[in-house]
């Protein structure tokens, strides 16, 4: 192994252990203050950022293809979303679920190659970069929404103002994430035109993108269907976590 590879892998494993530790500490959240959560997230985020930075320096580019590097990036964006949100509101309810999701993303990465995508000209185009980075941000927002839906499923089905707030926050994150996702698909179609001569020549990825598009639309509109309860909406919303992982697996294949 090269020295840079040893560094980013070491930082990755340390970040994984720290996210798992944060999850365990978050289980007794009633005894933890908001400042505790603002402080405890710093260490895993620092090592996550170090692994990400070392990976970018060694490969000479931002993540493009492989599941390992994309999950590393996704964990960083998701963790940063929670950390920033902790300064705006009380995140003690959602923190354990976000920590568990990031640890799960990293755990899935353990079963895939830890190498980096070699430079490919088509992936360096401006429209490709906009597509890839906006897509990563949209997926982080999807996972944040998924965590709020999970909070509702586990803790909020009894009704009341708090449970309604969980759903409302999930819906808000999902709508913002979907807007960013649509922007990524727009730039991706321009990239496809430059790289392949057609707006939708992405093969399996075009199909996977359309599936996510329609699924998120289904989750957003399920609240307006009388036959769909709030628990149903939260359940299909939480499944976005599984769908995002499956999407990255398709990229890896």
């Amino acid at each position: 192994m090269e020295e840079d590879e040893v560094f980013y892998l070491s930082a990755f494993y340390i970040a994984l252990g720290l996210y798992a530790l944060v999850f365990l500490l978050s289980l007794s959240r009633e005894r933890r203050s908001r400042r505790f959560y603002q402080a405890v997230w710093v260490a895993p985020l620092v090592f996550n950022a170090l692994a990400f930075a070392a990976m970018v320096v060694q490969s000479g580019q931002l993540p493009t293809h492989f599941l390992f590097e994309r999950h590393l990036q996704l964990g960083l964006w998701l963790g940063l979303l929670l950390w920033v949100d902790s300064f705006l509101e009380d995140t003690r309810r959602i923190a354990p679920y976000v920590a568990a999701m990031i640890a799960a993303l990293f755990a899935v990465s353990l079963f895939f190659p830890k190498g980096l995508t070699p430079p490919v000209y088509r992936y360096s185009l401006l429209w490709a970069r906009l597509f890839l980075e906006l897509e990563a941000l949209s997926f982080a927002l999807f996972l944040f929404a998924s965590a709020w839906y999970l909070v509702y499923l586990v803790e909020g089905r009894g009704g009341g103002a708090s449970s309604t707030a969980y759903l409302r926050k999930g819906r808000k994150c999902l709508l913002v994430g979907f807007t960013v996702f649509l922007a990524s698909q727009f730039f991706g179609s321009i990239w496809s035109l430059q790289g392949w001569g057609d707006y939708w020549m992405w093969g399996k990825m075009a199909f996977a993108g359309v599936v996510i598009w329609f699924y998120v639309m289904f989750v957003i509109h399920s609240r307006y269907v009388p036959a769909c309860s709030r628990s149903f909406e939260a359940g299909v919303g939480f499944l976005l976590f599984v769908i995002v992982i499956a999407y990255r697996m398709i990229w890896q294949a």
Side-chain angles (χ1 to χ4, degrees), residues 194-212:
Q194 289 185 343
W196 290 270
D198 188 275
Y199 282 108
W200 291 101
M201 286 292 292
W202 300 351
K204 61 186 178 182
M205 297 319 303
F207 174 76
V210 170
V211 168
I212 290 180

Side-chain angles (χ1 to χ4, degrees), residues 57-186:
V57 169
Q58 182 174 344
S59 65
Q61 62 183 357
L62 289 168
T64 57
H65 184 80
F66 289 165
L67 180 144
F68 167 73
E69 52 190 356
R70 296 296 278 177
H71 274 198
L72 188 66
Q73 179 188 33
L74 191 54
L76 179 60
W77 293 167
L78 182 57
L80 284 172
L81 278 174
L82 179 69
W83 186 67
V84 171
D85 198 33
S86 69
F87 290 91
L88 305 176
E89 60 180 341
D90 190 347
T91 58
R92 283 178 291 181
R93 288 292 173 191
I94 193 175
Y97 302 100
V98 172
M101 283 184 173
I102 298 176
L105 288 172
F106 281 29
V108 170
S109 301
L110 296 176
F111 297 94
F112 288 84
K114 310 301 185 298
L116 305 177
T117 305
V120 178
Y121 169 70
R122 282 194 299 228
Y123 286 89
S124 65
L125 296 173
L126 171 62
W127 304 116
R129 296 310 332 160
L130 287 171
F131 162 68
L132 292 165
E133 299 315 310
L134 287 175
E135 181 195 69
L137 177 58
S138 71
F139 283 178
L141 288 164
F142 287 165
L143 295 185
F144 205 48
S146 184
W148 278 117
Y149 285 127
L150 183 57
V151 173
Y152 176 84
L153 288 173
V154 176
E155 304 181 22
R157 286 186 293 175
S162 61
S163 62
T164 303
Y166 300 152
L167 279 180
R168 186 171 61 249
K169 291 175 182 178
R171 292 163 181 166
K172 180 175 67 175
C173 292
L174 187 60
L175 284 171
V176 175
F178 189 52
T179 302
V180 177
F181 179 74
L182 291 178
S184 75
Q185 298 302 292
F186 171 76

